[in-house]
């Protein structure tokens, strides 16, 4: 389109970028890229074990948390097995089941939120995995602690419940609780986290999961060697030490998200209240058309057809000037 200035608000990345400490760690690690990385992510593993108060052998690393989702499918699913997912959740969950020929049981959402009671009801003796995104992508909604308490009262530990918490660091709602709560109670959960979102390291692909040591052991058997590169390990370790950057990133979202929601609602649009760093917006017309017309104006958002929302777009919370430019462009598109 001959554009000179482009704003990307499509992939829920950190608008502030990575921590300066992480960038310094990357530069320091570059001269060693002729060496294979430390295969077990030893130092990062030890640090995360202290952060989450778990044992080192209860942590698995992936080339992004996407890889761990795939590893879970490859490790625990067979053609006679079932995986339970929500109908408007991250598409990688269903893909993990289909990849292995397992039966994918899709449960409708309640409004824009996981109906975990219905998901618990859908579990059978053949169910190996249940995927719950909390907060959920693309709706930005979260399941409460009370709802998950009730879920775990009904679901056997023969089923692994995967709680994907890629956006957990953005949540300030007191009704929310990390899946580590149930892990510490001895439930068979795998809690997924990533350095791609609030830590701003999406381009380096560092994800991890916390789960039972036996589950991690099985995943490690098929985990590709050296799947997290050296600079990525160094950057993630440094990012954990920069709490100030995390705080700045959270404050930006807390400031800009309600402004964005009010401005979008002023345009007569439906906005799903979000606890994450993005908004799902009903535009009242094909989302793909809005996406293309915004693209022509140098604004990249995400059309939501693949998630079952053909008249929605998802927009990441950016910096104030980026959000203003998006809103101006969207107004032009909607009134053209």
């Amino acid at each position: 389109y001959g554009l000179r200035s482009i704003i990307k608000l499509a992939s829920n990345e950190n608008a502030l970028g990575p921590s300066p400490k992480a960038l310094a760690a990357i530069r320091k690690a570059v001269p060693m890229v002729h060496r294979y990385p430390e295969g077990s992510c030893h130092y990062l593993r030890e640090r995360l074990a202290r952060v989450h108060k778990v044992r080192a052998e209860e942590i698995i690393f992936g080339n992004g948390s996407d890889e761990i989702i795939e590893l879970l499918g490859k490790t625990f699913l067979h053609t006679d097995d079932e995986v339970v997912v929500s109908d408007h959740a991250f598409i990688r969950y269903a893909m993990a089941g289909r990849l292995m020929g397992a039966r994918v049981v899709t449960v409708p959402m309640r409004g824009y939120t996981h109906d975990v009671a219905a998901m618990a009801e859908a579990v059978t003796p053949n169910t190996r995995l249940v995927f719950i995104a909390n907060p959920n992508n693309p709706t930005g909604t979260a399941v409460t602690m009370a709802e998950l308490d009730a879920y775990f009262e009904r679901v056997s530990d023969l089923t692994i419940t995967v709680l994907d918490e890629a956006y957990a660091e953005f949540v300030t709602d007191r009704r929310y609780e990390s899946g580590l709560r149930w892990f510490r109670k001895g439930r068979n959960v795998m809690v997924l986290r990533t350095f791609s979102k609030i830590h701003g390291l999406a381009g380096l692909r560092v994800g991890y999961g916390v789960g039972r040591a036996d589950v991690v052991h099985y995943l490690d058997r098929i985990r590709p060697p050296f799947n997290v590169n050296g600079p990525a390990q160094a950057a993630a370790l440094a990012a954990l030490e920069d709490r100030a950057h995390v705080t700045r990133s959270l404050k930006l979202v807390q400031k800009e998200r309600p402004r964005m929601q009010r401005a979008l609602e002023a345009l007569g649009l439906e906005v799903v209240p979000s606890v994450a760093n993005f908004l799902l917006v009903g535009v009242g017309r094909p989302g793909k058309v809005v996406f293309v017309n915004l693209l022509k104006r140098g604004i990249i958002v995400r059309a939501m057809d693949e998630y079952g929302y053909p008249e929605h777009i998802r927009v990441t919370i950016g910096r104030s000037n980026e959000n203003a430019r998006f809103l101006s462009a969207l107004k032009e598109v909607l009134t053209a």
Side-chain angles (χ1 to χ4, degrees):
Y1 296 119
L3 299 167
R4 293 176 178 270
S5 175
I6 298 171
I7 294 174
K8 186 186 178 192
L9 301 174
S11 301
N12 306 337
E13 296 147 338
N14 187 331
L16 297 182
S19 155
K21 292 183 180 180
L23 291 175
I26 294 168
R27 286 190 288 268
K28 186 176 179 180
V30 166
M32 294 299 293
V33 296
H34 63 299
R35 302 293 186 192
Y36 287 108
E38 205 289 310
S40 70
C41 300
H42 174 79
Y43 296 106
L44 184 57
R45 182 186 301 273
E46 293 292 328
R47 182 70 182 96
L48 284 169
R50 293 196 299 273
V51 167
H52 294 304
K53 296 179 173 60
V54 300
R55 292 182 295 155
E57 57 266 34
E58 293 169 333
I59 302 175
I60 179 80
F61 288 92
N63 188 242
S65 52
D66 298 61
E67 184 180 39
I68 303 174
I69 293 167
E70 186 174 319
L71 289 176
L72 283 161
K74 287 179 176 178
T75 306
F76 296 108
L77 295 178
H78 190 264
T79 53
D80 296 328
D81 297 327
E82 297 175 353
V83 53
V84 174
V85 302
S86 185
D87 62 346
H88 296 294
F90 189 33
I91 59 174
R92 296 287 293 177
Y93 309 148
M95 289 171 65
R98 295 189 186 110
L99 175 68
M100 303 308 296
R103 179 171 178 251
V104 178
V105 179
T106 304
V107 177
M109 280 193 167
R110 188 180 66 254
Y112 289 98
T113 308
H114 280 70
D115 188 343
V116 290
M119 295 179 82
E121 200 170 305
V123 172
T124 74
N126 293 326
T127 305
R128 299 291 167 258
L129 299 170
V130 177
F131 284 97
I132 301 171
N134 200 32
N136 182 52
N137 173 26
T139 61
T141 56
V143 179
T144 67
M145 179 174 65
E147 290 170 322
L148 282 173
D149 274 338
Y151 165 89
F152 281 111
E153 286 178 7
R154 300 180 59 181
V155 176
S156 164
D157 281 342
L158 295 176
T159 297
I160 301 172
T161 298
V162 184
L163 292 168
D164 187 349
E165 299 181 353
Y167 302 94
E169 291 91 348
F170 293 104
V171 184
T172 56
D173 190 329
R174 292 183 178 180
R175 297 172 299 170
Y176 177 86
E177 184 71 36
S178 168
L180 292 169
R181 164 191 168 90
W182 293 277
F183 171 72
R184 294 190 180 103
K185 287 186 173 185
R187 302 311 306 262
N188 193 5
V189 300
M190 172 63 66
V191 180
L192 301 184
R193 291 289 183 98
T194 182
F195 284 87
S196 295
K197 303 307 178 183
I198 204 163
H199 292 295
L201 299 177
L204 290 180
R205 315 302 297 128
V206 189
Y208 65 98
V210 178
R212 283 184 358 192
D214 59 335
V215 172
V216 168
H217 172 70
Y218 290 127
L219 293 173
D220 256 332
R221 287 186 181 186
I222 63 167
R223 178 180 58 86
F226 313 121
N227 60 330
V228 181
N229 69 70
Q233 292 183 40
L237 193 57
L240 283 173
E241 306 306 321
D242 196 347
R243 296 306 305 169
H245 184 71
V246 171
T247 299
R248 286 192 297 271
S249 302
L250 177 58
K251 284 184 176 179
L252 173 69
V253 171
Q254 288 178 312
K255 178 182 177 182
E256 291 295 322
R257 187 176 60 205
R259 287 183 179 180
M260 282 271 279
Q261 180 168 342
R262 288 192 298 268
L264 290 163
E265 289 173 341
L267 294 175
L269 304 177
E270 176 198 20
V271 183
V272 180
S274 172
V275 297
N277 68 329
F278 57 86
L279 293 170
L280 181 66
V281 186
V283 290
R285 63 195 72 189
K288 277 190 174 180
V289 173
V290 174
F291 160 76
V292 170
N293 284 316
L294 285 171
L295 196 63
K296 292 176 180 177
R297 291 165 171 80
I299 310 293
I300 309 174
V301 296
R302 181 69 58 86
M304 288 285 101
D305 300 61
E306 62 183 347
Y307 286 93
Y309 294 119
E311 294 194 345
H312 287 71
I313 60 171
R314 190 192 66 199
V315 57
T316 307
I317 305 301
R319 293 174 181 260
S320 178
N321 63 314
E322 295 173 327
N323 298 333
R325 185 171 155 189
F326 157 72
L327 290 166
S328 176
L330 181 62
K331 189 174 182 179
E332 285 181 17
V333 169
L334 296 176
T335 56

